[in-house]
């Protein structure tokens, strides 16, 4: 039987690292964990000694993870979550598909609004013991995938196929191909002549080549906070926008959605989880409902020619 060594971090030491990172200081972490500040400090120093690296920059304003600390905390979160899943499934499993306990989901805004609700409804009906916790994350930078990599989410609804490689230890699977369309005020005679309204999350590397080849698309004159704000501005007659289908679901009648031609840009929407959690009952249950609920094929909504 394998034995622990003096260099192994115990679960309580991992919880201290996570608490310090989440609260931003030793004192706040101590309050969260019900420990003394000296106990937290002692635990962190012990973890740093075992790992052989400084994990936190200490200062008068608190403690921030170093580069080594960020990696250590991310691994700590994922290990602690796996221990929780192990305990839940071992204690209460009535069969291979038994699923209960919390399920942390990270999703970008349009997926959370238009894709997840029917999925979670089916999940709740089939697995009332699962407790979904959805966090909406902007799909910029590391986006929803970063939440999984950092151990803050069990599964992410994410845009796949960008220029940033998938972090080690993660598993990605596609769900649907989401087409883009032109959206503009209803009744406008020449929508392509309107100013462009855009937002930071739109048109990543998966559409960059198509976008660069379109000489009719002007530089954005209005930058909105999110896709909902874009729709509001376009509906108010302030311009046109090029948007993915999920963002256009349920668009008001004041807007017209027009096809972009025979080869429109698309983005792939899928899910990302860790190699450890991909086989867990809660993640498998959500994936089953995602695959049973998402639209078939490439078209999510009908655009006018």
């Amino acid at each position: 039987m394998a034995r622990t060594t003096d260099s192994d971090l115990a679960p309580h030491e991992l919880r201290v690292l996570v608490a310090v990172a989440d609260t931003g200081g030793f004192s706040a972490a101590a309050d969260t964990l019900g420990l003394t500040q000296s106990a937290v400090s002692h635990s962190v120093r012990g973890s740093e000694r075992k790992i052989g690296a400084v994990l936190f920059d200490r200062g008068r304003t608190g403690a921030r993870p170093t580069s080594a600390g960020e990696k250590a905390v991310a691994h700590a979160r994922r290990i602690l979550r796996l221990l929780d899943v192990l305990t839940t499934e071992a204690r209460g499993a009535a069969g291979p598909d038994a699923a209960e306990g919390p399920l942390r989901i990270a999703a970008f805004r349009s997926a959370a609004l238009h894709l997840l609700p029917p999925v979670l409804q089916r999940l709740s009906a089939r697995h009332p013991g699962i407790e979904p916790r959805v966090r909406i994350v902007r799909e910029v930078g590391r986006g929803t995938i970063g939440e999984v990599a950092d151990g803050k989410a069990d599964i992410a609804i994410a845009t796949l196929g960008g220029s940033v490689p998938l972090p080690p230890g993660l598993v990605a699977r596609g769900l649907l191909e989401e087409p883009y369309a032109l959206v503009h005020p209803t009744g406008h005679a020449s929508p392509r002549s309107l100013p462009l309204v855009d937002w930071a999350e739109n048109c990543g590397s998966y559409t960059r080549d198509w976008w660069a080849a379109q000489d009719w698309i002007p530089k954005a004159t209005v930058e909105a906070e999110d896709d909902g704000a874009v729709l509001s501005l376009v509906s108010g007659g302030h311009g046109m926008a090029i948007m993915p289908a999920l963002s256009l679901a349920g668009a008001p009648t004041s807007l017209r959605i027009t096809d972009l031609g025979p080869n429109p840009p698309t983005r792939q929407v899928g899910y990302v989880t860790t190699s450890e959690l991909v086989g867990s009952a809660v993640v498998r249950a959500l994936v089953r409902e995602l695959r049973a609920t998402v639209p078939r094929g490439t078209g999510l909504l009908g655009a006018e020619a």
Side-chain angles (χ1 to χ4, degrees), residues 56-70:
F56 293 94
D57 287 326
R58 283 84 157 168
R60 279 186 278 181
T61 58
R64 293 196 319 170
T66 61
S67 296
E70 289 177 351

Side-chain angles (χ1 to χ4, degrees), residues 10 29 72 112 135 150 168 194 216 249 293-294 303:
R135 183 179 179 188
D150 291 344
L194 289 168
W216 62 272
T293 306
V294 295

Side-chain angles (χ1 to χ4, degrees), residues 138 197-201 220 222-231 233:
R138 297 188 73 195
V197 183
D198 209 359
W199 83 105
E201 292 177 68
V222 180
E223 292 281 352
E225 180 66 23
D226 56 41
D227 53 353
V230 171
L231 288 179
L233 287 165

Side-chain angles (χ1 to χ4, degrees), residues 183-276:
V183 58
H184 55 89
T186 298
H188 198 282
S190 182
R192 293 193 177 201
S193 67
L194 289 168
L196 177 66
V197 183
D198 209 359
W199 83 105
E201 292 177 68
N202 197 27
C203 294
S205 59
Y206 33 79
T207 62
R208 190 169 293 131
D209 291 343
W210 178 90
W211 196 280
Q214 310 304 309
D215 56 9
W216 62 272
I217 303 177
K219 184 177 180 179
T221 55
V222 180
E223 292 281 352
E225 180 66 23
D226 56 41
D227 53 353
V230 171
L231 288 179
S232 180
L233 287 165
V234 174
S235 180
H238 298 287
M240 57 86 174
I242 298 167
M243 306 183 73
L246 279 174
S247 294
L248 296 173
T253 56
S254 57
L255 295 176
R256 182 177 176 183
I257 300 168
T258 304
D259 199 303
L260 286 170
N263 296 301
T266 63
R267 69 176 181 179
Q268 187 180 29
V269 177
Y271 67 88
V272 176
T273 185
T274 68
S275 56
E276 303 94 356

Side-chain angles (χ1 to χ4, degrees), residues 109-173:
R109 182 182 179 277
S110 58
L113 288 177
H114 304 300
L115 182 61
L116 276 182
V119 172
L120 296 181
Q121 186 175 21
R122 290 172 61 106
L123 184 72
S124 177
R126 295 175 186 270
H127 301 281
I130 294 180
E131 306 160 21
R133 302 171 185 175
V134 179
R135 183 179 179 188
I136 298 178
V137 178
R138 297 188 73 195
E139 196 69 327
V140 292
R142 298 172 72 233
T144 59
I145 294 176
E147 297 293 295
V148 175
D150 291 344
K152 296 178 181 179
D154 302 325
I155 187 169
I157 308 302
T159 51
L160 308 179
S163 58
V164 179
L166 194 69
L170 301 192
V171 176
R173 297 288 185 270

